[in-house]
């Protein structure tokens, strides 16, 4: 017979947050706030400068940890002796993100971005990624998937992470893919994923259709993954379990900085999936986290805490979709 005291102790024990493995390339970001983009050959003065770090996976990891999850980051970086590498490691340690699975590649350069943010909060980005970084060999699969509740990656990393994602799916681990560039309709991640969240531009380009809804339904014929398309201030369009189109509206906020907002959205969505949230609520949770981030400068380092998102959602019941 089960000892009732054991049930009490199990219920009273602190719950271990889910660990999400974020796969991508950390980036050193140099951010400038400007009044307007300069014309070709012209110069402008910035009103503010800040050095931060970013990249889809790193930004999502920050969002996950701020929202109460655990995040590990995995992917290639440049030489360990680089100033950029040391800077990024210090930032990740401060956020409480596990870095043991990052792969340093001797003699290579860690990605770096120049980011200009205009008064509307829109960002213009120039990024350098050393082509040799794509040849990375990830650590041992069993080690990566140990205590892994979900994988979050971006489709540009397909070359070095598809096999890992396929193995995760075989083990029943969710794989959420941020699709922000055109995919091949024969891409391995179409079947090595459980959730595909497209930007609307990437969705239309991948499907070859200029309508988000039609594009999603076309992609549904190629994969059994959950499918959604993010449309910034227009919200998110997605297919439910009956392949019917649904929409989750964005939250209206005063936007000052969109840098990292999409990545915070993906991180929040991945965390919600590991928490077994209903898809509609997971998307609403992710939208709220991204909206709050947009109200603050600092890229993903302006991502909200869990209590802030829950308070925001509580105050925004009127924004719940019908």
């Amino acid at each position: 017979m089960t000892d009732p005291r054991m049930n009490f102790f199990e219920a009273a024990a602190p719950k271990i947050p889910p660990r999400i493995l974020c796969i991508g390339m950390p980036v050193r970001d140099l951010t400038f706030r400007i009044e307007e983009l300069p014309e070709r050959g012209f110069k402008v003065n910035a009103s503010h400068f800040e050095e931060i770090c970013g990249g889809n996976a790193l930004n999502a990891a920050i969002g996950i940890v701020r929202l109460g999850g655990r995040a590990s980051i995995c992917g290639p970086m440049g030489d360990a002796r680089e100033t950029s590498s040391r800077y990024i490691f210090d930032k990740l340690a401060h956020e409480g993100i596990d870095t043991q699975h990052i792969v340093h590649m001797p003699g290579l350069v860690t990605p770096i971005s120049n980011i200009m943010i205009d008064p509307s909060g829109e960002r213009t980005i120039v990024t350098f990624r050393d082509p040799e970084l794509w040849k990375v060999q990830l650590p041992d699969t069993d080690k990566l998937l140990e205590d892994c509740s979900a994988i979050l990656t971006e489709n540009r990393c397909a070359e070095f992470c598809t096999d890992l994602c396929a193995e995760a799916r075989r083990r029943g681990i969710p794989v959420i893919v941020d699709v922000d560039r055109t995919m091949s309709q024969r891409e391995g991640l179409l079947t090595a994923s459980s959730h595909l969240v497209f930007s609307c531009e990437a969705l239309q380009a991948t499907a070859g259709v200029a309508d988000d809804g039609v594009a999603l339904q076309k992609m549904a014929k190629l994969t059994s993954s959950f499918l959604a398309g993010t449309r910034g201030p227009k919200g998110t369009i997605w297919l439910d379990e009956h392949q019917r189109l649904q929409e989750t509206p964005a939250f209206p906020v005063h936007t000052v900085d969109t840098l990292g907002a999409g990545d915070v959205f993906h991180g929040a969505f991945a965390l919600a999936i590991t928490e077994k949230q209903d898809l509609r609520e997971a998307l609403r949770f992710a939208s709220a986290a991204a909206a709050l981030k947009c109200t603050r400068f600092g890229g993903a380092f302006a991502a909200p805490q869990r209590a802030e998102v829950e308070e925001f959602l509580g105050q925004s019941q009127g924004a719940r979709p019908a």
Side-chain angles (χ1 to χ4, degrees):
M1 186 172 65
T2 303
D3 187 339
R5 292 174 300 176
M6 293 302 297
N7 292 334
F8 170 78
F9 289 128
E10 288 177 6
K15 303 299 182 185
I16 300 176
R19 182 178 77 86
I20 299 173
L21 179 65
C22 301
I23 303 174
M25 292 188 186
V27 181
R28 183 183 183 188
D29 289 336
L30 307 177
T31 66
F32 302 84
R33 280 167 26 198
I34 58 173
E35 287 303 312
E36 60 181 358
L37 287 175
E39 296 181 27
R40 184 172 183 268
F42 279 67
K43 299 178 181 179
V44 297
N45 291 322
S47 61
H48 179 81
F49 167 78
E50 187 171 3
E51 181 178 4
I52 57 176
C53 51
N56 298 33
L58 187 151
N59 288 339
I62 293 172
I64 289 165
V65 171
R66 297 276 182 95
L67 294 170
R70 292 182 296 148
S72 297
I73 190 164
C74 176
M77 283 181 65
D79 197 294
R81 297 168 296 180
E82 271 192 321
T83 300
S84 294
S85 291
R86 293 195 299 271
Y87 174 79
I88 291 173
F89 262 76
D90 288 344
K91 287 289 189 180
L92 291 173
H94 184 264
E95 290 292 324
I97 296 169
D98 176 18
T99 58
Q100 65 175 310
H101 303 308
I102 285 180
V103 181
H104 283 291
M105 302 183 71
L108 300 189
V109 177
T110 293
I112 189 166
S113 288
N114 179 37
I115 301 169
M116 293 172 283
I117 303 170
D118 68 25
S120 74
E122 190 57 78
R123 74 278 191 275
T124 302
I125 305 175
V126 177
T127 300
F128 172 73
R129 289 185 178 88
D130 194 317
E132 293 297 307
L133 291 171
W134 302 109
K135 298 178 182 179
V136 64
Q137 294 293 317
L138 297 185
D140 177 72
T141 295
D142 288 336
K143 184 176 181 181
L144 289 175
L145 297 183
E146 182 182 2
D147 185 35
C148 179
S149 301
I151 287 177
L152 173 61
T153 190
E154 52 186 300
N155 70 305
R156 68 160 57 98
C157 297
E159 184 176 349
F160 58 80
C161 78
T162 299
D163 290 344
L164 174 67
C165 292
E167 178 58 27
R169 293 302 301 130
R170 283 192 286 271
R171 300 186 188 191
I173 299 171
V175 174
I176 298 93
V177 181
D178 168 10
V179 187
D180 67 352
R181 59 186 292 180
T182 307
M183 293 180 79
S184 164
Q185 294 188 13
R186 295 182 294 276
E187 173 63 65
L189 282 177
L190 288 174
T191 54
S193 61
S194 58
H195 300 74
L196 292 165
V197 183
F198 290 80
S199 68
C200 61
E201 297 84 1
L203 173 62
Q204 293 179 18
T206 298
V209 178
D211 178 272
D212 293 333
V214 176
L216 281 179
Q217 291 172 328
K218 181 175 179 179
M219 295 306 299
K221 298 176 181 178
L222 304 177
T223 177
S224 60
S225 296
F226 166 78
L227 295 170
T230 57
R231 302 179 294 175
K234 295 182 180 179
T236 306
I237 187 170
W238 50 284
L239 295 179
D240 64 19
E241 65 272 22
H242 304 294
Q243 302 302 300
R244 294 180 301 213
L245 286 171
Q246 304 287 346
E247 291 191 49
T248 298
F251 292 91
V253 293
H254 175 61
T255 298
V256 299
D257 178 12
T258 61
L259 180 64
D263 305 325
V264 170
F265 177 99
H266 290 96
F269 180 70
L271 180 61
I273 293 302
T274 67
E275 295 176 346
K276 311 298 183 187
Q277 291 190 35
D278 170 82
L279 281 169
R280 188 180 298 276
E281 292 305 315
L283 288 166
R284 194 164 180 269
F285 177 71
S287 295
L292 284 172
K293 189 256 96 50
C294 287
T295 65
R296 308 162 183 171
F297 286 105
F301 288 91
Q305 302 288 338
R306 182 69 174 246
E308 295 178 284
V309 174
E310 291 178 347
E311 181 182 5
F312 181 76
L313 285 169
Q315 295 172 347
S316 306
Q317 290 300 315
R320 182 185 295 274

